[in-house]
Amino acid sequence: MGDIRPPDTGDLHVSVEDLDAAADYVERLRQYVDDTISYEMERIKERMKGDSNNAQAVPNGTPFGAYEDARMQWQALTRSTANMEQHLKALSTKLAALKKGTEDIAQAFRDTEARNAANGKQIERMLESATPPPSTGGEPTYPYPA
C-alpha cells in the first residue's frame, strides 16, 4: 500500500466570516435534505402503497405481481427504500453536527481574538506605566538595578 500524505492546503487562511458562511451553507444543505428530499421519499413510499381503489385480487400479491420473483423484487425495493430513508436521516443528523461544530469553532475563534485584544491592551498599559531605565552618561549595564 502507498503512503497517504495529508492534502496540500497551500497558503490557506480561514476567517471567522468564512466559518459563518460555511455554517449557513451546511444549514441550507440540511434543510434541503430534511424538506425536499424527505418530501420526495414520502411521495415514493406513498406510490409504493399502490392503488387502494383496486385491491390485489391475488393473495400475497405485490404491485409487481404475485410470482416469487416479483415478491423478491418488491421486498428488495422496500428494503432499499427503507435504507435510503435511514441514510437521509443520518445525513441530516451529520449535517446538523457539522453546523454545530463549525459554529463552535467560529465562537472559539472570536473568544480567542477578544482575549488576545484584551491581553494586548493590558500589555500596552503595563509598558506605558513602566518607569524608563535611568539614563546615565556611562555605559549601560544589564541588568540594571531596579
Side-chain angles (χ1 to χ4, degrees):
M1 300 271 166
D3 69 277
I4 300 174
R5 286 182 239 141
D8 179 20
T9 56
D11 193 20
L12 179 65
H13 296 282
V14 177
S15 68
V16 72
E17 291 82 14
D18 294 334
L19 292 171
D20 289 337
D24 290 341
Y25 178 73
V26 169
E27 176 60 20
R28 287 194 312 272
L29 283 176
R30 189 191 64 75
Q31 288 174 354
Y32 176 75
V33 168
D34 286 350
D35 298 340
T36 306
I37 296 178
S38 295
Y39 170 75
E40 292 300 327
M41 280 301 303
E42 289 302 318
R43 286 184 55 208
I44 290 169
K45 289 187 329 189
E46 193 63 34
R47 286 182 187 163
M48 286 176 64
K49 289 179 184 175
D51 188 0
S52 60
N53 295 333
N54 298 322
Q56 292 288 330
V58 179
N60 295 327
T62 69
F64 292 166
Y67 293 105
E68 183 62 27
D69 187 52
R71 284 196 300 274
M72 287 177 17
Q73 293 298 324
W74 183 253
Q75 289 171 353
L77 179 61
T78 303
R79 267 193 316 276
S80 174
T81 304
N83 286 341
M84 184 181 294
E85 189 172 23
Q86 288 297 80
H87 285 298
L88 288 173
K89 288 178 183 176
L91 179 60
S92 177
T93 302
K94 289 175 183 178
L95 286 171
L98 177 61
K99 177 188 178 231
K100 172 89 172 82
T102 304
E103 289 173 340
D104 290 350
I105 291 169
Q107 187 58 47
F109 185 82
R110 284 185 189 92
D111 292 347
T112 301
E113 288 296 313
R115 273 196 306 276
N116 286 347
N119 288 342
K121 290 191 185 298
Q122 183 180 7
I123 290 170
E124 283 179 19
R125 282 193 302 272
M126 290 172 68
L127 289 174
E128 288 172 354
S129 67
T131 57
S135 61
T136 60
E139 287 286 317
T141 58
Y142 291 101
Y144 63 92

